[in-house]
Amino acid sequence: MASSSSESIPATAVDEATGSQDMFNQELETYRRIVAANLMFHREVYGLLRDLLVEHAPGSFRFLDVACGDAGASAAMLKTTAIGGYVGIDLSDASLRLADRALEGLPCPVELRCGDFVEAMATWSEPVDVIWIGMSLHHLATEGKARLMRNASRALGGVGLFVIWEPTLLEGEARADWLARFSLLRDKWSTVSDEEFAAMERHMLLADFPETADTWLGMGRDAGFRRAEEIFMMPNRMGRVFRYWN
């Protein structure tokens, strides 16, 4: 058995692990301030999701939370539903440790899996009634998004509900224009520092690839969902919620 003492670990490895944890803690603290201030409209989005589940999900539904992160918003919303099972997938072990605590009060079996959600969805073979993706699908290229939607449709087996909340271009808008629109929100994001806002802009430039509403809807129909609709636009028009079902 490997020693648990840091003396057996090279100093550089300890420094890197400490630095990674510090970065995670800082990003998490920033994210939680953003959520608390409702800058991304989590309250409206998760309130809408709860209403959808109450109205359309079957009793004791099985909920798949793709790229669940710390699952805080999902946990708070799901505690007031008729959920029968929860599975969360995320690549971050640190996030899943937080999710484990957040989901403690959920009145159903809870399973958390550490891994790449694209790979998980490609081979998914377990019963599921609802698949939810919040602000994560946009990191994939267009074909990757379409492929994951096909896998979601297959996983639901022709029934169930697929809901996504993703950055969305205005009609005729280029990605660079969408990024520029976010930069104009700086004054309204006073809860974060200039350094934190700049870090968000850098992340978005490197990793955010929004689609138009027509593209998001069309990809869902092409994936095998007979019905697709936009059900919410963030008041700042940076993102939207879409529902797909048969």
Side-chain angles (χ1 to χ4, degrees):
M1 178 180 292
S3 169
S4 61
S5 170
S6 62
E7 293 176 3
S8 64
I9 305 174
T12 53
V14 174
D15 291 343
E16 289 175 1
T18 301
S20 296
Q21 186 61 47
D22 288 345
M23 182 178 295
F24 174 81
N25 290 338
Q26 177 59 46
E27 291 176 350
L28 179 64
E29 194 274 333
T30 301
Y31 170 74
R32 285 181 167 169
R33 279 190 282 113
I34 289 170
V35 173
N38 204 36
L39 294 175
M40 292 179 63
F41 308 99
H42 279 74
R43 286 197 290 271
E44 291 83 353
V45 170
Y46 279 87
L48 175 62
L49 179 58
R50 182 194 176 277
D51 291 344
L52 282 177
L53 296 177
V54 169
E55 184 175 355
H56 298 290
S60 297
F61 63 89
R62 185 171 169 83
F63 186 89
L64 177 55
D65 198 349
V66 178
C68 64
D70 68 5
S74 290
M77 176 271 300
L78 289 168
K79 287 174 182 176
T80 61
T81 69
I83 188 169
Y86 175 96
V87 180
I89 304 169
D90 201 89
L91 194 59
S92 167
D93 185 64
S95 290
L96 291 178
R97 288 196 295 272
L98 296 172
D100 189 44
R101 293 198 290 271
L103 294 160
E104 283 179 352
L106 216 57
C108 68
V110 171
E111 184 178 355
L112 295 172
R113 303 180 186 181
C114 189
D116 185 299
F117 70 82
V118 174
E119 295 176 3
M121 291 305 302
T123 58
W124 191 269
S125 60
E126 302 163 41
V128 61
D129 299 300
V130 180
I131 300 175
W132 161 248
I133 303 178
M135 287 290 167
S136 294
L137 189 54
H138 65 282
H139 295 314
L140 305 179
T142 301
E143 177 50 38
K145 299 181 183 87
R147 186 182 306 113
L148 191 136
M149 286 189 166
R150 291 194 294 270
N151 289 330
S153 178
R154 175 186 51 76
L156 289 166
V159 296
L161 185 64
F162 180 48
V163 188
I164 66 172
W165 170 30
E166 296 295 340
T168 304
L169 301 171
L170 301 177
E171 194 61 38
E173 184 177 45
R175 177 174 178 260
D177 298 324
W178 179 84
L179 291 166
R181 277 202 294 124
F182 178 75
S183 296
L184 294 176
L185 296 175
R186 177 67 190 103
D187 289 346
K188 296 183 179 180
W189 285 56
S190 58
T191 193
V192 301
S193 68
D194 288 341
E195 292 77 11
E196 289 167 330
F197 193 84
M200 292 181 64
E201 289 181 302
R202 289 193 297 272
H203 166 83
M204 293 168 68
L205 178 62
L206 293 172
D208 286 15
F209 301 95
E211 306 286 354
T212 65
D214 283 347
T215 299
W216 284 123
L217 293 168
M219 284 193 294
R221 296 188 187 99
D222 291 343
F225 294 100
R226 289 191 296 111
R227 290 178 283 185
E229 67 172 343
E230 175 188 323
I231 57 176
F232 179 73
M233 179 192 290
M234 295 163 63
N236 60 18
R237 304 194 302 166
M238 293 300 296
R240 310 186 195 193
V241 178
F242 301 93
R243 165 170 77 139
Y244 309 87
W245 75 110
N246 288 302

